[in-house]
Amino acid sequence: MDPSLPLSPRPSPSPSPSPQVCVVVIGYNDAAHLADAVRSALAQGPSVREVIAVDDCSTDGSGELLTELAAREPRLKTIRRAANSGGCGTPRNDGVEATTSAYVMFLDSDDVLPPGAVDALLTAAARHDAEVATGLCVRRELPSGREIPWQPLLYKKAQLIARPELRTRLVHDTLCVNKLYRTDFLRRHAIRFPEGRFTYEDFVFTARVLAAGPRIALIPDPVYVWNVRRSAAKLSISLDRTGIANWQARMESHRQSVEILRDAPSATGTAGKRLARAARAKFLDHGLRMYARELTTRSPEYRREWWTATRAYLATFDTADLDAAPAPGRIIARLILASPEPRDLPRMQAVAARPARLSPPYAQASDATPIWSDDLPQVTLEHLLVRPVRLLPLAVDAELRPRAGGSRLTLRLHELYGRVADAGPATVDMELTARDGTGPGLRRTAAFSPAGDGTWLTEAVLDLGSLRGGVWDLRLRLQFGDGTTRDTTARAVAGPGLLRRTVLPGRHGILLAQPYATQAGNLAVRLAPGMRGVAGVAKRRLARLVRDLGGGDQSAGAR
């Protein structure tokens, strides 16, 4: 499935199931989006018996808005909490307690249900006598509108999972909102969300659901649209990762989830341990990598706190837990465990990227075993000697210098323990793709030449003026003489071209081009159209010139 293409729901099944579903909508000070969420639930049709909207003591008029909506819609019931709970779990629990419907599902005030979602889930649950039915969640990045499927590998086809331990990948989908639950199943097993301000409450709730051993029906239909507003004045609880408290909360939620799965009363034999081990592997491959990518942007104090807390938590993992994780997360975990202080953060950032990259230097033990570094021989990388070339964490450095006569892109491919030379670098397909997933990109192919220092070089001239404004990411496909290929990204090299703003002639006027490094260290370029952007840059450059001539603070105008 192409994540850059919008996803549209499948037609609703016919005839419509009887009204037996409750949609619990929760919100706090989100009057701007609340009505859209409620209407998307009501628009699901007669399958929805009731919508229970729980206002967590808002002060922005959300309660009054819900009262007005309920006056016109008999299926809408409202609950207004007397005090704010501080989290998402308590209002969802209130909704579950209040429902009289056979099934229940959850919806956040800033998200929506796509047409046909409830019918698709209810049909699957009824057909398979399943306690839980779950479908595809789509992350919609706003304002661009780009849609990215969440955990698409789980939802390639419709299937019934008789017991969760038979499909341990279920632990990867920790969301509660893309699922339909049988109400008596939740009540019989006393499955509730953690109360109060509890970040990542979904982790614990989902673990409790899986631990109860339900029959789970999976469908490929999009059933939930998760609106991600990163530019909002106030980020959602889970998206706000600026403080160490967010990471600590994530680890605590994960720790509780692992304990719940490991001690599952419904599990027989090693089933609970299998689910717990899969959850720990997922933590290393997802959560650990995501936060490790951001460390170079954090303060030294944050880095030290993060490293100490992470090291303590990883010490509770056993060797089998680490071995069960994909290589990038496993390497990062072993590096953290081997060092009491933060180190090698740019290299770790590259390993944490998707796809992973391993930057030089490439150390070896006395027996030629690849290792992280000479002073950390216990962090071994022997898997690199046998891993297929198409999966190797190959490192490519990139430098982009925008120029009016043609922007020059230089790529340098690094050797990796002899594997690159053995495969024989041939050519590379370069593509600049729009971050929002729309519009044609820019493609070039160039041949590699050996540089004589264990690297291979190539250059290409790019017409950035042919592109529209926006953010453009560089994607690479490396092609080797032995017929193999490797899709990857390139590390932005610090140099005179990086972050430098250049005025270029564009197809529809002038453009302002700025190469930069993404949070994962990848090369990307911003293109800003029009005179306003150029005038702003000229004004800032003039201000810096005046400041420098006057001996002002050198850091005041840093970009």
Side-chain angles (χ1 to χ4, degrees), residues 270-549:
T270 62
K273 292 182 179 179
R274 289 177 59 197
L275 288 171
R277 178 149 291 153
R280 281 187 158 174
K282 186 254 184 180
F283 174 84
L284 298 179
D285 187 50
H286 180 68
L288 184 64
R289 290 178 71 176
M290 177 168 56
Y291 284 73
R293 287 195 295 270
E294 302 172 352
L295 276 187
T296 58
T297 67
R298 304 301 190 193
S299 69
E301 294 76 19
Y302 178 99
R303 295 173 188 173
R304 285 192 294 269
E305 286 188 71
W306 186 92
W307 197 276
T308 299
T310 305
R311 196 163 183 257
Y313 184 48
L314 293 177
T316 67
F317 288 42
D318 59 30
T319 301
D321 292 329
L322 299 181
D323 291 343
R330 183 173 70 245
I331 292 170
I332 294 169
R334 287 176 174 166
L335 171 62
I336 294 170
L337 287 169
S339 177
E341 298 291 336
R343 57 170 289 168
D344 302 339
L345 297 187
R347 285 190 86 203
M348 190 172 75
Q349 178 192 51
V351 171
R354 293 186 185 276
R357 301 188 302 269
L358 181 63
S359 303
Y362 302 120
Q364 291 180 291
S366 57
D367 62 355
T369 298
I371 54 178
W372 180 264
S373 62
D374 290 334
D375 61 331
L376 290 181
Q378 66 270 46
V379 183
T380 59
L381 309 173
E382 64 273 14
H383 66 283
L384 298 178
L385 299 179
V386 296
R387 196 167 181 81
V389 172
R390 62 183 176 83
L391 298 176
L392 284 175
L394 301 180
V396 180
D397 294 339
E399 183 178 7
L400 177 62
R401 295 195 177 190
R403 293 174 181 170
S407 301
R408 187 168 298 277
L409 175 65
T410 303
L411 301 179
R412 182 182 296 271
L413 170 64
H414 291 270
E415 179 59 275
L416 187 66
Y417 298 108
R419 300 296 307 281
V420 176
D422 288 345
T427 61
V428 55
D429 295 333
M430 298 161 268
E431 183 177 12
L432 284 174
T433 61
R435 178 74 58 83
D436 61 12
T438 62
L442 182 62
R443 296 178 176 87
R444 293 288 184 273
T445 299
F448 278 117
S449 298
D453 59 352
T455 67
W456 289 260
L457 283 173
T458 191
E459 288 187 341
V461 176
L462 306 178
D463 181 13
L464 296 182
S466 66
L467 302 174
R468 59 174 175 78
V471 176
W472 296 81
D473 293 304
L474 177 64
R475 309 292 183 191
L476 305 176
R477 170 163 289 184
L478 308 176
Q479 299 174 341
F480 297 90
D482 65 358
T484 60
T485 62
R486 171 54 163 154
D487 293 333
T488 189
T489 55
R491 181 179 72 92
V493 176
L498 197 64
L499 290 179
R500 183 181 181 86
R501 296 180 175 95
T502 305
V503 178
L504 303 176
R507 181 171 296 175
H508 304 290
I510 60 174
L511 282 174
L512 187 66
Q514 181 191 41
Y516 75 102
T518 68
Q519 199 167 63
N522 303 334
L523 179 67
V525 59
R526 294 188 184 95
L527 298 176
M531 285 300 299
R532 180 177 298 179
V534 175
V537 172
K539 183 178 179 180
R540 286 190 291 272
R541 286 182 177 172
L542 179 60
R544 285 198 299 274
L545 177 62
V546 171
R547 182 202 69 219
D548 292 345
L549 291 175

Side-chain angles (χ1 to χ4, degrees), residues 151-388:
Q151 298 297 333
L153 292 179
L154 267 176
Y155 299 105
K156 284 187 173 182
K157 62 180 181 179
Q159 57 182 313
L160 175 67
I161 310 300
R163 298 188 309 277
E165 64 269 21
L166 299 179
R167 187 72 189 280
T168 58
R169 192 173 182 85
L170 287 167
V171 303
H172 285 241
D173 186 3
T174 53
L175 300 180
C176 72
V177 288
N178 58 331
K179 299 173 179 65
L180 179 76
Y181 306 91
R182 192 179 291 171
T183 307
D184 63 358
F185 164 76
L186 296 181
R187 290 173 175 167
R188 184 169 66 253
H189 294 280
I191 298 173
R192 295 292 183 270
F193 291 90
E195 294 278 346
R197 184 169 181 80
F198 192 101
T199 313
Y200 302 108
E201 76 291 334
D202 282 24
F203 290 14
V204 175
F205 179 84
T206 300
R208 289 170 176 167
V209 169
L210 296 178
R215 289 165 58 87
I216 302 177
L218 276 67
I219 61 174
D221 308 59
V223 299
Y224 195 88
V225 177
W226 174 7
N227 288 321
V228 180
R229 297 177 172 88
R230 300 187 189 277
S231 59
K234 180 177 175 57
L235 292 174
S236 65
I237 295 174
S238 60
L239 286 179
D240 187 1
R241 300 199 294 269
T242 55
I244 193 65
N246 179 279
W247 176 239
Q248 292 169 331
R250 191 181 189 98
M251 288 192 295
E252 175 58 22
S253 298
H254 184 263
R255 183 193 65 77
Q256 290 190 29
S257 301
V258 168
E259 287 186 357
I260 291 167
L261 294 171
R262 186 187 58 212
D263 301 332
S266 65
T268 57
T270 62
K273 292 182 179 179
R274 289 177 59 197
L275 288 171
R277 178 149 291 153
R280 281 187 158 174
K282 186 254 184 180
F283 174 84
L284 298 179
D285 187 50
H286 180 68
L288 184 64
R289 290 178 71 176
M290 177 168 56
Y291 284 73
R293 287 195 295 270
E294 302 172 352
L295 276 187
T296 58
T297 67
R298 304 301 190 193
S299 69
E301 294 76 19
Y302 178 99
R303 295 173 188 173
R304 285 192 294 269
E305 286 188 71
W306 186 92
W307 197 276
T308 299
T310 305
R311 196 163 183 257
Y313 184 48
L314 293 177
T316 67
F317 288 42
D318 59 30
T319 301
D321 292 329
L322 299 181
D323 291 343
R330 183 173 70 245
I331 292 170
I332 294 169
R334 287 176 174 166
L335 171 62
I336 294 170
L337 287 169
S339 177
E341 298 291 336
R343 57 170 289 168
D344 302 339
L345 297 187
R347 285 190 86 203
M348 190 172 75
Q349 178 192 51
V351 171
R354 293 186 185 276
R357 301 188 302 269
L358 181 63
S359 303
Y362 302 120
Q364 291 180 291
S366 57
D367 62 355
T369 298
I371 54 178
W372 180 264
S373 62
D374 290 334
D375 61 331
L376 290 181
Q378 66 270 46
V379 183
T380 59
L381 309 173
E382 64 273 14
H383 66 283
L384 298 178
L385 299 179
V386 296
R387 196 167 181 81

Side-chain angles (χ1 to χ4, degrees), residues 24-31 33-34 37-38 52-60 62-63 66 79-81 84-85 87-88 91-92 107-110:
V24 175
V25 183
I26 65 166
Y28 171 63
N29 282 352
D30 195 23
H33 308 113
L34 179 58
V38 170
I52 297 179
V54 185
D55 174 36
D56 204 1
C57 197
S58 298
T59 59
D60 69 341
S62 294
L66 289 174
I79 298 174
R80 181 174 175 82
R81 290 187 52 79
N84 179 254
S85 69
C88 298
R92 288 186 186 136
L107 173 62
D108 291 347
S109 61
D110 52 351

